[in-house]
Amino acid sequence: MKNIALTLMLALGLSLNAQVNKNVTKETKTTTVTVNNGQEKKKLVKQESTDAVQDIELKDAESKKLNKDIKETPVAVTKSTTISGDGIPTQQLGSTTYYTMDGQDYVFITDRMGYRIATEKDKKYGVLRKTSNDNYIYKTKDKTSIGYFKDNGDFVVETYNDNTDGVTVETYSLKQQ
């Protein structure tokens, strides 16, 4: 009986450990500045963290070939900045995630209420505000819609179209870095 329980626990532990198929890169840059105003010196610390996560998938996973090639998959890049120092509580300035849609690049920046959306030309392109059912209200100058994040990190916006009496679907894809 002990052997069966031990074998079951070992098999369960190995199967849980073998499920990680991600390539993760983390980079942190720390900048320390000392400010002297003539009366006292204050130290400020700025930390910029960059996380890149990529799913690892095989091109021909079902084949019996021994050495298999890896398929290109998108890389989800997230950046965040924190500031702390003498007399200053630690503050997170916001993390950024990069998206693309129809050849245009977008940046989703976290804030207290949800996300801000910016483009290279328009720093205040739009906002996302979380609803009670884990969807988001998507608001730009032109429209107000409903959106949600898919499991792969893409953001989908669904907009009602008066002319066709239907729903238009747009997808922001995680930018491949």
Side-chain angles (χ1 to χ4, degrees):
M1 188 65 171
K2 288 182 184 179
N3 289 339
I4 294 173
L6 184 60
T7 304
L8 182 62
M9 288 178 56
L10 182 61
L12 181 62
L14 289 176
S15 67
L16 290 176
N17 199 16
Q19 299 301 319
V20 179
N21 290 330
K22 294 187 183 289
N23 187 10
V24 179
T25 304
K26 295 184 180 207
E27 179 180 315
T28 302
K29 177 182 174 185
T30 304
T31 306
T32 304
V33 177
T34 303
V35 179
N36 186 352
N37 65 4
Q39 296 177 3
E40 63 182 335
K41 291 182 179 181
K42 288 191 176 186
K43 186 166 115 177
L44 299 173
V45 179
K46 175 181 168 185
Q47 278 192 322
E48 297 174 302
S49 299
T50 304
D51 295 338
V53 179
Q54 180 181 25
D55 289 332
I56 298 173
E57 296 179 15
L58 301 175
K59 284 184 181 177
D60 51 354
E62 301 301 319
S63 75
K64 296 185 182 204
K65 185 175 164 184
L66 185 58
N67 295 322
K68 299 178 183 180
D69 294 327
I70 296 176
K71 185 186 341 179
E72 274 296 316
T73 56
V75 179
V77 178
T78 305
K79 293 184 180 182
S80 63
T81 304
T82 56
I83 294 179
S84 63
D86 297 337
I88 300 173
T90 301
Q91 303 173 28
Q92 181 159 356
L93 297 181
S95 61
T96 58
T97 307
Y98 300 93
Y99 288 87
T100 185
M101 182 175 65
D102 298 331
Q104 173 75 35
D105 291 334
Y106 297 89
V107 179
F108 285 35
I109 305 162
T110 57
D111 63 15
R112 291 176 291 139
M113 310 272 287
Y115 294 90
R116 288 182 294 119
I117 304 171
T119 66
E120 188 175 307
K121 295 178 183 176
D122 189 359
K123 301 299 179 202
K124 295 183 179 182
Y125 179 79
V127 294
L128 297 176
R129 297 296 177 242
K130 193 166 188 167
T131 64
S132 60
N133 61 353
D134 290 335
N135 288 328
Y136 288 85
I137 297 172
Y138 172 88
K139 174 81 171 110
T140 64
K141 294 172 187 158
D142 302 335
K143 62 183 165 185
T144 302
S145 305
I146 298 294
Y148 57 91
F149 288 97
K150 292 173 60 176
D151 290 338
N152 65 357
D154 291 350
F155 186 74
V156 177
V157 177
E158 296 183 359
T159 307
Y160 175 73
N161 187 332
D162 285 329
N163 298 332
T164 63
D165 192 30
V167 176
T168 304
V169 178
E170 299 172 302
T171 302
Y172 290 87
S173 300
L174 270 173
K175 189 171 181 186
Q176 196 168 356
Q177 300 287 325

